[in-house]
Amino acid sequence: MRFLFIGDIVGKPGRAGLAAAMPELREKHSPDLVIANGENSAGGLGITEKTAGELFELGVGVITTGNHVYRHRDAYGFLDRDHRVVRPANYPAGNPGRGATVVELGAMRVGVLNLSGAVQLRVARSPVPEADAQLARLDGDVDAVIVDFHAETTSEKVAMGWHLDGRVAACLGTHTHVPTADARVLPGGTAYISDVGMTGSRAGVIGVRREQALESFRTQMPIKFDTADEDVWINAVVVDVRDDGSASSIDQVLIPAP
Ligand code: FE2
């Protein structure tokens, strides 16, 4: 089975870039399932049913999220209702949405689990025991698990990769919007990367207009950020998974939107 995982899609430029690139991505990689982090798909912050719908239309099968998932109140019902979207499992119990979902791809049942880092991000429970609890819950219902670990620091991500090695097909980092150069299959058979990167404008600062980001750093005053829209790139990974749920390869995809 082949999985295409798309890094954080930022705003309309990210959605438009993905729409333009999707035919080429499909043709070249023939993924069995496309998973995308969509937590910044609405106006650069948050997700709505409409932006999620656009991603589903493009052929995204599962959307993962992170710290901006609750930005838009009108999405809460959608998060509860639609099993194709997940939010970090280690958020407070009872919050809208679910932390994991299962997709049936022919004979393979694939669990997609979303976790949030605890360093510099707010969570209800540490992601390490939460990962154990979630995997125990999924045990018997899935043949392979793909984890989106939405976290700030590379140290916490690397640690999670080791914690999950041999237990999941892939542990893929998101959130920083900057792709890292450490994609590899760990010794136990888990595909790992600290950060997949983003699908958005490379001309800005992690997705926002660079002059506004610089103004914010220069003045330390509140600044209204707009989504940068030039030079959009697709940051993704392709992961091949064996029938036993272990990964055989992970390859980075870093291409300009056509
Ligand atoms: Fe994030």
Side-chain angles (χ1 to χ4, degrees), residues 111-151:
V112 179
L113 170 61
N114 203 177
L115 292 165
S116 170
V119 181
Q120 296 178 28
L121 290 168
R122 294 180 71 192
V123 293
R125 296 172 300 283
S126 161
V128 178
E130 184 71 20
D132 298 339
Q134 291 291 331
L135 291 179
R137 204 176 58 80
L138 289 168
D139 189 36
D141 294 334
V142 296
D143 304 300
V145 177
I146 308 281
V147 175
D148 174 345
F149 189 34
H150 198 77

PDB file of all heavy atoms in Angstrom, residues 111-151:
ATOM      1  N   GLY A 111      -5.383   2.630  10.284  1.00  0.00           N
ATOM      2  CA  GLY A 111      -5.725   3.599  11.308  1.00  0.00           C
ATOM      3  C   GLY A 111      -4.911   4.863  11.096  1.00  0.00           C
ATOM      4  O   GLY A 111      -3.715   4.798  10.821  1.00  0.00           O
ATOM      5  N   VAL A 112      -5.575   6.005  11.187  1.00  0.00           N
ATOM      6  CA  VAL A 112      -4.860   7.287  11.140  1.00  0.00           C
ATOM      7  C   VAL A 112      -5.048   7.937  12.504  1.00  0.00           C
ATOM      8  O   VAL A 112      -6.177   8.182  12.933  1.00  0.00           O
ATOM      9  CB  VAL A 112      -5.389   8.203  10.013  1.00  0.00           C
ATOM     10  CG1 VAL A 112      -4.636   9.532  10.009  1.00  0.00           C
ATOM     11  CG2 VAL A 112      -5.269   7.512   8.661  1.00  0.00           C
ATOM     12  N   LEU A 113      -3.919   8.147  13.176  1.00  0.00           N
ATOM     13  CA  LEU A 113      -3.929   8.677  14.548  1.00  0.00           C
ATOM     14  C   LEU A 113      -3.252  10.033  14.571  1.00  0.00           C
ATOM     15  O   LEU A 113      -2.160  10.185  14.030  1.00  0.00           O
ATOM     16  CB  LEU A 113      -3.189   7.689  15.470  1.00  0.00           C
ATOM     17  CG  LEU A 113      -2.867   8.146  16.888  1.00  0.00           C
ATOM     18  CD1 LEU A 113      -4.123   8.478  17.675  1.00  0.00           C
ATOM     19  CD2 LEU A 113      -2.049   7.060  17.619  1.00  0.00           C
ATOM     20  N   ASN A 114      -3.901  10.992  15.191  1.00  0.00           N
ATOM     21  CA  ASN A 114      -3.378  12.350  15.307  1.00  0.00           C
ATOM     22  C   ASN A 114      -2.995  12.594  16.772  1.00  0.00           C
ATOM     23  O   ASN A 114      -3.782  12.305  17.680  1.00  0.00           O
ATOM     24  CB  ASN A 114      -4.496  13.326  14.876  1.00  0.00           C
ATOM     25  CG  ASN A 114      -4.030  14.700  14.405  1.00  0.00           C
ATOM     26  OD1 ASN A 114      -4.860  15.506  13.988  1.00  0.00           O
ATOM     27  ND2 ASN A 114      -2.756  14.983  14.451  1.00  0.00           N
ATOM     28  N   LEU A 115      -1.776  13.057  16.989  1.00  0.00           N
ATOM     29  CA  LEU A 115      -1.316  13.388  18.344  1.00  0.00           C
ATOM     30  C   LEU A 115      -0.693  14.772  18.315  1.00  0.00           C
ATOM     31  O   LEU A 115      -0.131  15.185  17.298  1.00  0.00           O
ATOM     32  CB  LEU A 115      -0.269  12.380  18.819  1.00  0.00           C
ATOM     33  CG  LEU A 115      -0.736  10.949  19.077  1.00  0.00           C
ATOM     34  CD1 LEU A 115       0.470  10.014  19.176  1.00  0.00           C
ATOM     35  CD2 LEU A 115      -1.577  10.884  20.358  1.00  0.00           C
ATOM     36  N   SER A 116      -0.751  15.465  19.446  1.00  0.00           N
ATOM     37  CA  SER A 116      -0.081  16.763  19.553  1.00  0.00           C
ATOM     38  C   SER A 116       1.077  16.666  20.523  1.00  0.00           C
ATOM     39  O   SER A 116       0.982  16.010  21.564  1.00  0.00           O
ATOM     40  CB  SER A 116      -1.061  17.828  20.058  1.00  0.00           C
ATOM     41  OG  SER A 116      -0.351  19.023  20.383  1.00  0.00           O
ATOM     42  N   GLY A 117       2.163  17.326  20.180  1.00  0.00           N
ATOM     43  CA  GLY A 117       3.262  17.458  21.119  1.00  0.00           C
ATOM     44  C   GLY A 117       2.820  18.253  22.335  1.00  0.00           C
ATOM     45  O   GLY A 117       1.839  19.004  22.289  1.00  0.00           O
ATOM     46  N   ALA A 118       3.556  18.078  23.441  1.00  0.00           N
ATOM     47  CA  ALA A 118       3.234  18.791  24.675  1.00  0.00           C
ATOM     48  C   ALA A 118       4.196  19.949  24.924  1.00  0.00           C
ATOM     49  O   ALA A 118       3.961  20.768  25.806  1.00  0.00           O
ATOM     50  CB  ALA A 118       3.265  17.818  25.859  1.00  0.00           C
ATOM     51  N   VAL A 119       5.265  20.016  24.136  1.00  0.00           N
ATOM     52  CA  VAL A 119       6.240  21.097  24.321  1.00  0.00           C
ATOM     53  C   VAL A 119       5.779  22.325  23.532  1.00  0.00           C
ATOM     54  O   VAL A 119       5.589  22.254  22.317  1.00  0.00           O
ATOM     55  CB  VAL A 119       7.649  20.650  23.850  1.00  0.00           C
ATOM     56  CG1 VAL A 119       8.656  21.774  24.063  1.00  0.00           C
ATOM     57  CG2 VAL A 119       8.085  19.392  24.581  1.00  0.00           C
ATOM     58  N   GLN A 120       5.548  23.413  24.238  1.00  0.00           N
ATOM     59  CA  GLN A 120       5.092  24.683  23.659  1.00  0.00           C
ATOM     60  C   GLN A 120       3.707  24.592  23.006  1.00  0.00           C
ATOM     61  O   GLN A 120       3.335  25.447  22.205  1.00  0.00           O
ATOM     62  CB  GLN A 120       6.111  25.226  22.647  1.00  0.00           C
ATOM     63  CG  GLN A 120       7.443  25.575  23.297  1.00  0.00           C
ATOM     64  CD  GLN A 120       8.467  26.063  22.292  1.00  0.00           C
ATOM     65  OE1 GLN A 120       8.126  26.619  21.258  1.00  0.00           O
ATOM     66  NE2 GLN A 120       9.741  25.848  22.594  1.00  0.00           N
ATOM     67  N   LEU A 121       2.966  23.550  23.315  1.00  0.00           N
ATOM     68  CA  LEU A 121       1.594  23.431  22.824  1.00  0.00           C
ATOM     69  C   LEU A 121       0.721  22.955  23.980  1.00  0.00           C
ATOM     70  O   LEU A 121       1.204  22.278  24.892  1.00  0.00           O
ATOM     71  CB  LEU A 121       1.515  22.418  21.671  1.00  0.00           C
ATOM     72  CG  LEU A 121       2.157  22.838  20.343  1.00  0.00           C
ATOM     73  CD1 LEU A 121       2.261  21.655  19.392  1.00  0.00           C
ATOM     74  CD2 LEU A 121       1.387  23.974  19.687  1.00  0.00           C
ATOM     75  N   ARG A 122      -0.568  23.299  23.942  1.00  0.00           N
ATOM     76  CA  ARG A 122      -1.460  22.908  25.040  1.00  0.00           C
ATOM     77  C   ARG A 122      -2.115  21.565  24.744  1.00  0.00           C
ATOM     78  O   ARG A 122      -2.730  21.393  23.690  1.00  0.00           O
ATOM     79  CB  ARG A 122      -2.549  23.966  25.233  1.00  0.00           C
ATOM     80  CG  ARG A 122      -1.985  25.285  25.709  1.00  0.00           C
ATOM     81  CD  ARG A 122      -3.079  26.300  25.879  1.00  0.00           C
ATOM     82  NE  ARG A 122      -3.916  25.994  27.033  1.00  0.00           N
ATOM     83  CZ  ARG A 122      -5.080  26.593  27.275  1.00  0.00           C
ATOM     84  NH1 ARG A 122      -5.552  27.472  26.439  1.00  0.00           N
ATOM     85  NH2 ARG A 122      -5.762  26.279  28.359  1.00  0.00           N
ATOM     86  N   VAL A 123      -1.971  20.647  25.685  1.00  0.00           N
ATOM     87  CA  VAL A 123      -2.618  19.339  25.560  1.00  0.00           C
ATOM     88  C   VAL A 123      -3.188  18.952  26.922  1.00  0.00           C
ATOM     89  O   VAL A 123      -2.815  19.520  27.953  1.00  0.00           O
ATOM     90  CB  VAL A 123      -1.630  18.232  25.097  1.00  0.00           C
ATOM     91  CG1 VAL A 123      -1.156  18.484  23.675  1.00  0.00           C
ATOM     92  CG2 VAL A 123      -0.446  18.121  26.033  1.00  0.00           C
ATOM     93  N   ALA A 124      -4.072  17.967  26.923  1.00  0.00           N
ATOM     94  CA  ALA A 124      -4.639  17.499  28.181  1.00  0.00           C
ATOM     95  C   ALA A 124      -3.807  16.365  28.764  1.00  0.00           C
ATOM     96  O   ALA A 124      -3.770  16.171  29.980  1.00  0.00           O
ATOM     97  CB  ALA A 124      -6.082  17.024  27.968  1.00  0.00           C
ATOM     98  N   ARG A 125      -3.161  15.617  27.881  1.00  0.00           N
ATOM     99  CA  ARG A 125      -2.379  14.452  28.333  1.00  0.00           C
ATOM    100  C   ARG A 125      -1.095  14.364  27.522  1.00  0.00           C
ATOM    101  O   ARG A 125      -1.074  14.735  26.344  1.00  0.00           O
ATOM    102  CB  ARG A 125      -3.201  13.147  28.139  1.00  0.00           C
ATOM    103  CG  ARG A 125      -4.472  13.096  28.991  1.00  0.00           C
ATOM    104  CD  ARG A 125      -5.354  11.908  28.641  1.00  0.00           C
ATOM    105  NE  ARG A 125      -5.806  11.921  27.266  1.00  0.00           N
ATOM    106  CZ  ARG A 125      -6.779  12.703  26.798  1.00  0.00           C
ATOM    107  NH1 ARG A 125      -7.421  13.540  27.601  1.00  0.00           N
ATOM    108  NH2 ARG A 125      -7.122  12.654  25.531  1.00  0.00           N
ATOM    109  N   SER A 126      -0.048  13.831  28.136  1.00  0.00           N
ATOM    110  CA  SER A 126       1.213  13.632  27.430  1.00  0.00           C
ATOM    111  C   SER A 126       0.974  12.757  26.199  1.00  0.00           C
ATOM    112  O   SER A 126       0.245  11.760  26.268  1.00  0.00           O
ATOM    113  CB  SER A 126       2.223  12.951  28.350  1.00  0.00           C
ATOM    114  OG  SER A 126       3.264  12.374  27.563  1.00  0.00           O
ATOM    115  N   PRO A 127       1.610  13.095  25.075  1.00  0.00           N
ATOM    116  CA  PRO A 127       1.387  12.286  23.873  1.00  0.00           C
ATOM    117  C   PRO A 127       1.963  10.874  23.964  1.00  0.00           C
ATOM    118  O   PRO A 127       1.538   9.990  23.211  1.00  0.00           O
ATOM    119  CB  PRO A 127       2.097  13.082  22.767  1.00  0.00           C
ATOM    120  CG  PRO A 127       3.081  13.952  23.472  1.00  0.00           C
ATOM    121  CD  PRO A 127       2.477  14.253  24.816  1.00  0.00           C
ATOM    122  N   VAL A 128       2.909  10.638  24.865  1.00  0.00           N
ATOM    123  CA  VAL A 128       3.552   9.309  24.921  1.00  0.00           C
ATOM    124  C   VAL A 128       2.593   8.244  25.468  1.00  0.00           C
ATOM    125  O   VAL A 128       2.282   7.278  24.766  1.00  0.00           O
ATOM    126  CB  VAL A 128       4.885   9.374  25.698  1.00  0.00           C
ATOM    127  CG1 VAL A 128       5.507   7.990  25.788  1.00  0.00           C
ATOM    128  CG2 VAL A 128       5.843  10.347  25.016  1.00  0.00           C
ATOM    129  N   PRO A 129       2.072   8.391  26.673  1.00  0.00           N
ATOM    130  CA  PRO A 129       1.068   7.412  27.125  1.00  0.00           C
ATOM    131  C   PRO A 129      -0.207   7.450  26.286  1.00  0.00           C
ATOM    132  O   PRO A 129      -0.887   6.430  26.126  1.00  0.00           O
ATOM    133  CB  PRO A 129       0.784   7.804  28.581  1.00  0.00           C
ATOM    134  CG  PRO A 129       1.289   9.188  28.740  1.00  0.00           C
ATOM    135  CD  PRO A 129       2.398   9.361  27.740  1.00  0.00           C
ATOM    136  N   GLU A 130      -0.518   8.626  25.730  1.00  0.00           N
ATOM    137  CA  GLU A 130      -1.709   8.712  24.877  1.00  0.00           C
ATOM    138  C   GLU A 130      -1.547   7.843  23.642  1.00  0.00           C
ATOM    139  O   GLU A 130      -2.491   7.161  23.217  1.00  0.00           O
ATOM    140  CB  GLU A 130      -1.971  10.164  24.470  1.00  0.00           C
ATOM    141  CG  GLU A 130      -3.241  10.360  23.655  1.00  0.00           C
ATOM    142  CD  GLU A 130      -4.510  10.186  24.493  1.00  0.00           C
ATOM    143  OE1 GLU A 130      -4.432  10.293  25.738  1.00  0.00           O
ATOM    144  OE2 GLU A 130      -5.579   9.939  23.899  1.00  0.00           O
ATOM    145  N   ALA A 131      -0.337   7.855  23.060  1.00  0.00           N
ATOM    146  CA  ALA A 131      -0.075   6.998  21.894  1.00  0.00           C
ATOM    147  C   ALA A 131      -0.297   5.538  22.272  1.00  0.00           C
ATOM    148  O   ALA A 131      -0.949   4.786  21.534  1.00  0.00           O
ATOM    149  CB  ALA A 131       1.354   7.211  21.393  1.00  0.00           C
ATOM    150  N   ASP A 132       0.213   5.146  23.442  1.00  0.00           N
ATOM    151  CA  ASP A 132       0.035   3.750  23.895  1.00  0.00           C
ATOM    152  C   ASP A 132      -1.447   3.414  24.045  1.00  0.00           C
ATOM    153  O   ASP A 132      -1.909   2.353  23.615  1.00  0.00           O
ATOM    154  CB  ASP A 132       0.744   3.536  25.235  1.00  0.00           C
ATOM    155  CG  ASP A 132       2.243   3.754  25.127  1.00  0.00           C
ATOM    156  OD1 ASP A 132       2.775   3.682  23.994  1.00  0.00           O
ATOM    157  OD2 ASP A 132       2.876   4.012  26.169  1.00  0.00           O
ATOM    158  N   ALA A 133      -2.182   4.322  24.672  1.00  0.00           N
ATOM    159  CA  ALA A 133      -3.613   4.074  24.907  1.00  0.00           C
ATOM    160  C   ALA A 133      -4.374   3.976  23.590  1.00  0.00           C
ATOM    161  O   ALA A 133      -5.236   3.101  23.414  1.00  0.00           O
ATOM    162  CB  ALA A 133      -4.200   5.195  25.774  1.00  0.00           C
ATOM    163  N   GLN A 134      -4.041   4.858  22.659  1.00  0.00           N
ATOM    164  CA  GLN A 134      -4.745   4.855  21.373  1.00  0.00           C
ATOM    165  C   GLN A 134      -4.419   3.596  20.568  1.00  0.00           C
ATOM    166  O   GLN A 134      -5.293   3.016  19.920  1.00  0.00           O
ATOM    167  CB  GLN A 134      -4.393   6.114  20.569  1.00  0.00           C
ATOM    168  CG  GLN A 134      -4.945   7.401  21.166  1.00  0.00           C
ATOM    169  CD  GLN A 134      -6.461   7.508  21.086  1.00  0.00           C
ATOM    170  OE1 GLN A 134      -7.089   6.966  20.182  1.00  0.00           O
ATOM    171  NE2 GLN A 134      -7.063   8.201  22.042  1.00  0.00           N
ATOM    172  N   LEU A 135      -3.143   3.172  20.604  1.00  0.00           N
ATOM    173  CA  LEU A 135      -2.764   1.962  19.860  1.00  0.00           C
ATOM    174  C   LEU A 135      -3.418   0.726  20.481  1.00  0.00           C
ATOM    175  O   LEU A 135      -3.841  -0.184  19.756  1.00  0.00           O
ATOM    176  CB  LEU A 135      -1.240   1.812  19.808  1.00  0.00           C
ATOM    177  CG  LEU A 135      -0.516   2.866  18.954  1.00  0.00           C
ATOM    178  CD1 LEU A 135       0.992   2.632  18.990  1.00  0.00           C
ATOM    179  CD2 LEU A 135      -1.017   2.866  17.515  1.00  0.00           C
ATOM    180  N   ALA A 136      -3.536   0.725  21.788  1.00  0.00           N
ATOM    181  CA  ALA A 136      -4.217  -0.393  22.449  1.00  0.00           C
ATOM    182  C   ALA A 136      -5.682  -0.428  22.030  1.00  0.00           C
ATOM    183  O   ALA A 136      -6.265  -1.500  21.818  1.00  0.00           O
ATOM    184  CB  ALA A 136      -4.103  -0.251  23.965  1.00  0.00           C
ATOM    185  N   ARG A 137      -6.280   0.750  21.905  1.00  0.00           N
ATOM    186  CA  ARG A 137      -7.689   0.843  21.511  1.00  0.00           C
ATOM    187  C   ARG A 137      -7.890   0.359  20.065  1.00  0.00           C
ATOM    188  O   ARG A 137      -8.878  -0.284  19.741  1.00  0.00           O
ATOM    189  CB  ARG A 137      -8.156   2.294  21.653  1.00  0.00           C
ATOM    190  CG  ARG A 137      -9.645   2.491  21.833  1.00  0.00           C
ATOM    191  CD  ARG A 137      -9.976   3.956  22.066  1.00  0.00           C
ATOM    192  NE  ARG A 137      -9.517   4.806  20.984  1.00  0.00           N
ATOM    193  CZ  ARG A 137     -10.153   4.957  19.817  1.00  0.00           C
ATOM    194  NH1 ARG A 137     -11.279   4.319  19.579  1.00  0.00           N
ATOM    195  NH2 ARG A 137      -9.660   5.753  18.892  1.00  0.00           N
ATOM    196  N   LEU A 138      -6.910   0.693  19.196  1.00  0.00           N
ATOM    197  CA  LEU A 138      -7.027   0.317  17.778  1.00  0.00           C
ATOM    198  C   LEU A 138      -6.644  -1.140  17.523  1.00  0.00           C
ATOM    199  O   LEU A 138      -6.993  -1.705  16.481  1.00  0.00           O
ATOM    200  CB  LEU A 138      -6.110   1.217  16.927  1.00  0.00           C
ATOM    201  CG  LEU A 138      -6.539   2.674  16.766  1.00  0.00           C
ATOM    202  CD1 LEU A 138      -5.405   3.507  16.155  1.00  0.00           C
ATOM    203  CD2 LEU A 138      -7.787   2.786  15.899  1.00  0.00           C
ATOM    204  N   ASP A 139      -5.931  -1.739  18.483  1.00  0.00           N
ATOM    205  CA  ASP A 139      -5.392  -3.096  18.298  1.00  0.00           C
ATOM    206  C   ASP A 139      -6.512  -4.076  17.923  1.00  0.00           C
ATOM    207  O   ASP A 139      -7.548  -4.132  18.580  1.00  0.00           O
ATOM    208  CB  ASP A 139      -4.701  -3.540  19.601  1.00  0.00           C
ATOM    209  CG  ASP A 139      -3.939  -4.834  19.392  1.00  0.00           C
ATOM    210  OD1 ASP A 139      -3.369  -5.014  18.300  1.00  0.00           O
ATOM    211  OD2 ASP A 139      -3.926  -5.676  20.313  1.00  0.00           O
ATOM    212  N   GLY A 140      -6.274  -4.833  16.845  1.00  0.00           N
ATOM    213  CA  GLY A 140      -7.276  -5.797  16.398  1.00  0.00           C
ATOM    214  C   GLY A 140      -8.199  -5.229  15.333  1.00  0.00           C
ATOM    215  O   GLY A 140      -8.796  -5.974  14.565  1.00  0.00           O
ATOM    216  N   ASP A 141      -8.311  -3.903  15.284  1.00  0.00           N
ATOM    217  CA  ASP A 141      -9.190  -3.268  14.289  1.00  0.00           C
ATOM    218  C   ASP A 141      -8.422  -2.732  13.094  1.00  0.00           C
ATOM    219  O   ASP A 141      -9.024  -2.256  12.124  1.00  0.00           O
ATOM    220  CB  ASP A 141      -9.963  -2.094  14.922  1.00  0.00           C
ATOM    221  CG  ASP A 141     -10.937  -2.572  15.983  1.00  0.00           C
ATOM    222  OD1 ASP A 141     -11.374  -3.731  15.891  1.00  0.00           O
ATOM    223  OD2 ASP A 141     -11.242  -1.787  16.903  1.00  0.00           O
ATOM    224  N   VAL A 142      -7.093  -2.727  13.176  1.00  0.00           N
ATOM    225  CA  VAL A 142      -6.289  -2.139  12.092  1.00  0.00           C
ATOM    226  C   VAL A 142      -5.115  -3.053  11.747  1.00  0.00           C
ATOM    227  O   VAL A 142      -4.635  -3.814  12.583  1.00  0.00           O
ATOM    228  CB  VAL A 142      -5.751  -0.734  12.471  1.00  0.00           C
ATOM    229  CG1 VAL A 142      -6.883   0.251  12.664  1.00  0.00           C
ATOM    230  CG2 VAL A 142      -4.877  -0.788  13.712  1.00  0.00           C
ATOM    231  N   ASP A 143      -4.652  -2.930  10.488  1.00  0.00           N
ATOM    232  CA  ASP A 143      -3.480  -3.682  10.035  1.00  0.00           C
ATOM    233  C   ASP A 143      -2.250  -2.785   9.947  1.00  0.00           C
ATOM    234  O   ASP A 143      -1.123  -3.271   9.894  1.00  0.00           O
ATOM    235  CB  ASP A 143      -3.764  -4.294   8.657  1.00  0.00           C
ATOM    236  CG  ASP A 143      -5.013  -5.164   8.696  1.00  0.00           C
ATOM    237  OD1 ASP A 143      -5.021  -6.143   9.465  1.00  0.00           O
ATOM    238  OD2 ASP A 143      -5.992  -4.842   7.988  1.00  0.00           O
ATOM    239  N   ALA A 144      -2.469  -1.493   9.883  1.00  0.00           N
ATOM    240  CA  ALA A 144      -1.364  -0.534   9.821  1.00  0.00           C
ATOM    241  C   ALA A 144      -1.852   0.787  10.411  1.00  0.00           C
ATOM    242  O   ALA A 144      -3.052   1.093  10.342  1.00  0.00           O
ATOM    243  CB  ALA A 144      -0.919  -0.322   8.378  1.00  0.00           C
ATOM    244  N   VAL A 145      -0.925   1.535  10.993  1.00  0.00           N
ATOM    245  CA  VAL A 145      -1.293   2.824  11.587  1.00  0.00           C
ATOM    246  C   VAL A 145      -0.352   3.913  11.063  1.00  0.00           C
ATOM    247  O   VAL A 145       0.872   3.727  11.023  1.00  0.00           O
ATOM    248  CB  VAL A 145      -1.207   2.784  13.128  1.00  0.00           C
ATOM    249  CG1 VAL A 145      -1.525   4.162  13.729  1.00  0.00           C
ATOM    250  CG2 VAL A 145      -2.144   1.728  13.701  1.00  0.00           C
ATOM    251  N   ILE A 146      -0.952   5.028  10.657  1.00  0.00           N
ATOM    252  CA  ILE A 146      -0.179   6.204  10.258  1.00  0.00           C
ATOM    253  C   ILE A 146      -0.430   7.275  11.318  1.00  0.00           C
ATOM    254  O   ILE A 146      -1.583   7.601  11.614  1.00  0.00           O
ATOM    255  CB  ILE A 146      -0.655   6.756   8.890  1.00  0.00           C
ATOM    256  CG1 ILE A 146      -0.695   5.660   7.826  1.00  0.00           C
ATOM    257  CG2 ILE A 146       0.191   7.961   8.470  1.00  0.00           C
ATOM    258  CD1 ILE A 146       0.599   5.277   7.213  1.00  0.00           C
ATOM    259  N   VAL A 147       0.641   7.802  11.889  1.00  0.00           N
ATOM    260  CA  VAL A 147       0.511   8.824  12.931  1.00  0.00           C
ATOM    261  C   VAL A 147       0.947  10.181  12.386  1.00  0.00           C
ATOM    262  O   VAL A 147       2.018  10.294  11.786  1.00  0.00           O
ATOM    263  CB  VAL A 147       1.390   8.468  14.158  1.00  0.00           C
ATOM    264  CG1 VAL A 147       1.343   9.589  15.202  1.00  0.00           C
ATOM    265  CG2 VAL A 147       0.942   7.149  14.775  1.00  0.00           C
ATOM    266  N   ASP A 148       0.102  11.191  12.580  1.00  0.00           N
ATOM    267  CA  ASP A 148       0.523  12.582  12.373  1.00  0.00           C
ATOM    268  C   ASP A 148       0.834  13.132  13.752  1.00  0.00           C
ATOM    269  O   ASP A 148      -0.058  13.322  14.583  1.00  0.00           O
ATOM    270  CB  ASP A 148      -0.600  13.393  11.700  1.00  0.00           C
ATOM    271  CG  ASP A 148      -0.251  14.894  11.598  1.00  0.00           C
ATOM    272  OD1 ASP A 148       0.697  15.356  12.271  1.00  0.00           O
ATOM    273  OD2 ASP A 148      -0.965  15.609  10.865  1.00  0.00           O
ATOM    274  N   PHE A 149       2.132  13.380  14.001  1.00  0.00           N
ATOM    275  CA  PHE A 149       2.536  13.956  15.291  1.00  0.00           C
ATOM    276  C   PHE A 149       2.769  15.451  15.091  1.00  0.00           C
ATOM    277  O   PHE A 149       3.792  15.879  14.564  1.00  0.00           O
ATOM    278  CB  PHE A 149       3.795  13.266  15.798  1.00  0.00           C
ATOM    279  CG  PHE A 149       4.156  13.646  17.215  1.00  0.00           C
ATOM    280  CD1 PHE A 149       3.177  13.924  18.167  1.00  0.00           C
ATOM    281  CD2 PHE A 149       5.489  13.734  17.620  1.00  0.00           C
ATOM    282  CE1 PHE A 149       3.498  14.281  19.474  1.00  0.00           C
ATOM    283  CE2 PHE A 149       5.821  14.076  18.930  1.00  0.00           C
ATOM    284  CZ  PHE A 149       4.825  14.351  19.850  1.00  0.00           C
ATOM    285  N   HIS A 150       1.760  16.230  15.525  1.00  0.00           N
ATOM    286  CA  HIS A 150       1.760  17.670  15.300  1.00  0.00           C
ATOM    287  C   HIS A 150       2.467  18.343  16.476  1.00  0.00           C
ATOM    288  O   HIS A 150       1.894  18.499  17.550  1.00  0.00           O
ATOM    289  CB  HIS A 150       0.297  18.135  15.195  1.00  0.00           C
ATOM    290  CG  HIS A 150       0.138  19.469  14.557  1.00  0.00           C
ATOM    291  ND1 HIS A 150       0.230  19.654  13.197  1.00  0.00           N
ATOM    292  CD2 HIS A 150      -0.085  20.701  15.087  1.00  0.00           C
ATOM    293  CE1 HIS A 150       0.049  20.932  12.921  1.00  0.00           C
ATOM    294  NE2 HIS A 150      -0.142  21.590  14.054  1.00  0.00           N
ATOM    295  N   ALA A 151       3.719  18.686  16.284  1.00  0.00           N
ATOM    296  CA  ALA A 151       4.527  19.131  17.426  1.00  0.00           C
ATOM    297  C   ALA A 151       5.557  20.155  17.006  1.00  0.00           C
ATOM    298  O   ALA A 151       5.925  20.256  15.831  1.00  0.00           O
ATOM    299  CB  ALA A 151       5.205  17.917  18.059  1.00  0.00           C
TER     300      ALA A 151
END
